């Protein structure tokens, strides 16, 4: 990526106020170049954002002549810019990723590389590895595994009830030998039905349905328990008004337009109800003007919004629940 594009991604990650403060200290030509890059950005992936921020942190580490470079300083800067909740685990992954080894290093590998690394392992090993990863990354890896493995691995994830630290340490050593390293294990609580549900939530609907059906053939009770904990886009219709308003503040308008094209009428009504009349009218007009949209694009937009909803839920800002749950 060119310098202006990297700067644009970094500034847009910081938020409007912080980005404006940075731009004040730049020359007119630089502001113009970065501004043009910001205007042309679209659909920036999480991987690209992490690459840019990691490079920024790495370059900052070299600036020892001005007394900058400690992890504590970098953490304070990024927390101040992004906010603790908004940043989520990104900051830790950036700071720890530089020296990550063993299982932790898998979180920094390309999805296809992780899939290639584990595809010949025993399904139980694959299940533990995927349970250790973030749900969105685990979903991507699972999609790349052979069809015969997918349902088996997800069932094993759902049935995991923690793992002994020694066993996790041994698995970490196995992973370490394949690409060198070692890591400090933080927890032995990996896997479980909720983890399996989270992974399925982030897969495309066709693969999701196929895996659920396969699990249902082998263990109908487990299949139902997984589905009970899944939260799909249409379930947003059950979120309270305050939660929807918090979600709308975090979601890009274009993404919302695409996501609602394939949404249940109850969800559309809920969203429009929690917008100003002007904003609601504009959204309706945008949806009408959008015309037909590929189902794959609609599902991708809905998955992105669900990621935001889950982050807000984990931060305690909104209340989500699985199918059949009561809301208070």
């Amino acid at each position: 990526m060119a310098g202006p594009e990297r700067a644009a991604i970094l500034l847009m990650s910081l938020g409007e106020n912080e980005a404006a403060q940075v731009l004040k200290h730049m020359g007119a030509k630089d502001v113009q170049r970065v501004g043009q890059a910001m205007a042309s950005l679209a659909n920036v992936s999480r991987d690209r954002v992490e690459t840019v921020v990691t490079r920024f942190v790495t370059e900052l580490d070299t600036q020892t002549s001005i007394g900058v470079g400690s992890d504590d300083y970098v953490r304070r800067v990024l927390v101040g810019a992004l906010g603790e909740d908004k940043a989520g685990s990104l900051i830790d992954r950036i700071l720890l990723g530089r020296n990550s080894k063993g299982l932790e290093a898998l979180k920094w590998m390309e999805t296809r590389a992780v899939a290639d690394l584990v595809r010949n392992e025993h399904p139980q090993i694959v299940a533990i590895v995927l349970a250790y990863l973030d749900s969105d990354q685990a979903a991507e890896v699972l999609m790349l595994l052979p069809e015969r493995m997918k349902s088996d691995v997800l069932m094993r994830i759902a049935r995991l009830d923690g793992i002994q630290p020694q066993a996790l340490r041994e698995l970490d050593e196995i992973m370490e030998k394949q690409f060198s390293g070692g890591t400090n294990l933080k927890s032995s609580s990996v896997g479980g039905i909720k983890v399996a549900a989270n992974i399925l939530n982030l897969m495309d609907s066709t693969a999701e349905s196929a895996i659920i059906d396969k699990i249902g053939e082998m263990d109908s009770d487990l299949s139902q328990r997984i589905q009970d904990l899944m939260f799909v886009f249409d379930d947003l219709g059950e979120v309270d008004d305050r939660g929807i308003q918090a979600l709308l503040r975090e979601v890009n308008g274009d993404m919302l337009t695409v996501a609602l094209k394939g949404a249940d009428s109850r969800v559309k009504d809920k969203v429009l109800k929690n917008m100003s009349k002007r904003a609601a009218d504009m959204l309706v007009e945008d949806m009408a003007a959008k015309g037909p949209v590929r189902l794959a694009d609609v599902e991708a937009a809905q998955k992105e919004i669900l990621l935001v909803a889950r982050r807000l839920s984990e931060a305690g800002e909104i209340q989500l629940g699985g199918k059949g749950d009561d809301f208070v």
Side-chain angles (χ1 to χ4, degrees):
M1 288 180 285
E5 185 180 2
R6 295 201 310 274
I9 293 174
L10 180 62
L11 290 178
M12 294 182 79
S13 300
L14 297 179
E16 295 178 7
N17 294 333
E18 291 77 11
Q21 292 299 317
V22 173
L23 289 172
K24 286 180 182 179
H25 298 279
M26 297 172 62
K29 291 184 178 180
D30 288 335
V31 170
Q32 181 179 352
R33 286 201 297 268
V34 173
Q36 289 174 337
M38 292 172 73
S40 64
L41 284 178
N43 300 321
V44 180
S45 68
R46 187 185 68 177
D47 287 344
R48 290 181 71 192
V49 174
E50 290 188 2
T51 297
V52 168
V53 178
T54 301
R55 179 167 177 174
F56 170 74
V57 171
T58 301
E59 292 180 356
L60 193 62
D61 276 343
T62 66
Q63 305 300 316
T64 55
S65 60
I66 59 173
V68 175
S70 72
D71 283 358
D72 287 342
Y73 176 85
V74 174
R75 187 182 298 276
R76 287 196 301 271
V77 169
L78 295 180
V79 168
L82 302 175
E84 193 74 52
D85 294 336
K86 187 175 181 180
S89 62
L90 176 62
I91 295 172
D92 281 338
R93 291 184 65 188
I94 289 169
L95 294 178
L96 297 175
R98 294 166 295 170
N99 301 310
S100 293
K101 300 174 183 177
L103 281 169
E104 190 68 23
L106 293 175
K107 296 182 178 182
W108 289 86
M109 292 176 63
E110 289 290 334
T111 303
R112 187 168 296 279
V114 177
D116 290 341
L117 188 67
V118 302
R119 71 172 61 249
N120 294 321
E121 298 290 343
H122 188 281
Q124 188 68 16
I125 298 294
V126 180
I128 295 172
V129 169
L130 295 195
Y132 193 83
L133 301 177
D134 292 338
S135 295
D136 56 341
Q137 186 185 15
E140 294 174 5
V141 173
L142 190 60
M143 285 293 295
L144 295 171
L145 295 179
E147 288 297 326
R148 58 183 171 76
M149 289 184 64
K150 292 178 181 177
S151 55
D152 185 14
V153 168
L154 199 79
M155 283 185 65
R156 292 172 184 272
I157 291 174
R159 289 170 171 165
L160 279 174
D161 187 20
I163 179 173
Q164 291 297 318
Q166 180 58 35
L168 193 59
R169 194 172 296 112
E170 290 175 0
L171 175 58
D172 183 69
E173 291 173 357
I174 293 173
M175 293 295 103
E176 179 181 349
K177 289 177 181 177
Q178 299 210 34
F179 49 84
S180 76
T183 189
N184 295 321
L185 302 178
K186 299 179 180 179
S187 171
S188 61
S189 290
V190 296
I193 295 175
K194 183 58 179 174
V195 174
N198 287 343
I199 292 172
L200 274 180
N201 271 335
L202 296 167
M203 300 181 71
D204 69 65
S205 58
T206 302
E208 173 190 303
S209 298
I211 292 173
I212 280 292
D213 290 345
K214 190 68 174 179
I215 292 175
E217 293 173 4
M218 296 180 282
D219 190 330
S220 59
D221 178 63
L222 180 63
S223 174
Q224 187 58 54
R225 289 169 67 195
I226 292 173
Q227 292 180 72
D228 287 344
L229 288 178
M230 290 178 66
F231 188 90
V232 296
F233 191 79
D234 286 345
D235 291 331
L236 289 175
E238 298 294 335
V239 176
D240 61 25
D241 291 343
R242 182 179 177 183
I244 291 294
Q245 292 163 18
L247 180 62
L248 290 176
R249 288 194 291 269
E250 299 286 330
V251 172
N252 176 279
D254 291 338
M255 183 184 300
L256 184 64
T257 301
V258 175
L260 289 180
K261 290 284 287 187
D264 182 84
S265 59
R266 185 181 54 169
V267 177
K268 294 178 183 176
D269 292 342
K270 172 75 76 170
V271 169
L272 294 173
K273 170 188 172 185
N274 283 283
M275 303 175 76
S276 68
K277 185 178 185 307
R278 179 172 176 274
D281 290 343
M282 290 178 62
L283 179 59
V284 171
E285 291 176 5
D286 289 344
M287 290 173 62
K290 196 79 175 176
V293 178
R294 290 191 312 162
L295 179 60
D297 293 336
V298 172
E299 292 181 346
Q302 291 181 352
K303 297 293 185 184
E304 287 294 325
I305 292 175
L306 284 175
L307 278 175
V308 176
R310 190 167 294 110
R311 173 172 58 77
L312 292 175
S313 175
E314 291 171 353
E317 296 184 30
I318 66 175
Q319 177 68 49
L320 302 181
K323 299 169 186 173
D325 285 350
D326 294 327
F327 289 78
V328 295

Short mmCIF file of all heavy atoms in Angstrom, two decimals, residues 49 78 155 175 179 197 242 296:
data_model
loop_
_atom_site.label_atom_id
_atom_site.label_comp_id
_atom_site.label_asym_id
_atom_site.label_seq_id
_atom_site.Cartn_x
_atom_site.Cartn_y
_atom_site.Cartn_z
N VAL A 49 -6.45 -3.27 7.97
CA VAL A 49 -6.36 -2.33 9.09
C VAL A 49 -5.28 -2.77 10.06
O VAL A 49 -4.45 -1.97 10.51
CB VAL A 49 -7.72 -2.20 9.82
CG1 VAL A 49 -7.57 -1.34 11.07
CG2 VAL A 49 -8.76 -1.60 8.89
N LEU A 78 -3.32 4.09 21.54
CA LEU A 78 -4.37 3.44 20.77
C LEU A 78 -5.68 3.36 21.54
O LEU A 78 -6.76 3.50 20.95
CB LEU A 78 -3.91 2.04 20.35
CG LEU A 78 -2.71 2.02 19.39
CD1 LEU A 78 -2.33 0.59 19.03
CD2 LEU A 78 -3.04 2.78 18.11
N MET A 155 -18.90 -30.35 15.78
CA MET A 155 -19.47 -31.13 16.88
C MET A 155 -18.47 -31.26 18.03
O MET A 155 -18.84 -31.15 19.20
CB MET A 155 -19.87 -32.53 16.38
CG MET A 155 -21.15 -32.57 15.58
SD MET A 155 -21.62 -34.27 15.14
CE MET A 155 -21.93 -34.96 16.76
N MET A 175 2.20 -27.29 17.75
CA MET A 175 2.08 -26.19 16.79
C MET A 175 3.40 -25.44 16.65
O MET A 175 3.81 -25.04 15.56
CB MET A 175 0.98 -25.22 17.23
CG MET A 175 -0.44 -25.77 17.19
SD MET A 175 -1.03 -26.17 15.52
CE MET A 175 -0.87 -27.95 15.51
N PHE A 179 6.13 -24.42 13.11
CA PHE A 179 6.61 -23.14 12.57
C PHE A 179 7.45 -22.38 13.57
O PHE A 179 7.62 -21.17 13.45
CB PHE A 179 5.43 -22.27 12.09
CG PHE A 179 4.32 -22.13 13.09
CD1 PHE A 179 4.37 -21.18 14.08
CD2 PHE A 179 3.21 -22.96 13.00
CE1 PHE A 179 3.33 -21.05 14.98
CE2 PHE A 179 2.17 -22.83 13.90
CZ PHE A 179 2.23 -21.88 14.89
N ALA A 197 -21.57 -22.13 18.12
CA ALA A 197 -22.63 -21.27 17.58
C ALA A 197 -22.05 -19.99 16.99
O ALA A 197 -22.48 -19.53 15.93
CB ALA A 197 -23.64 -20.94 18.69
N ARG A 242 -33.04 0.88 22.48
CA ARG A 242 -31.77 1.46 22.90
C ARG A 242 -30.60 0.71 22.27
O ARG A 242 -29.61 1.31 21.83
CB ARG A 242 -31.66 1.42 24.42
CG ARG A 242 -30.39 2.05 24.98
CD ARG A 242 -30.39 1.98 26.48
NE ARG A 242 -29.16 2.52 27.04
CZ ARG A 242 -28.87 2.53 28.33
NH1 ARG A 242 -29.75 2.07 29.21
NH2 ARG A 242 -27.73 3.03 28.77
N ALA A 296 -25.11 -13.11 -1.88
CA ALA A 296 -23.81 -13.22 -1.19
C ALA A 296 -23.40 -11.88 -0.60
O ALA A 296 -22.84 -11.83 0.51
CB ALA A 296 -22.74 -13.71 -2.16
#
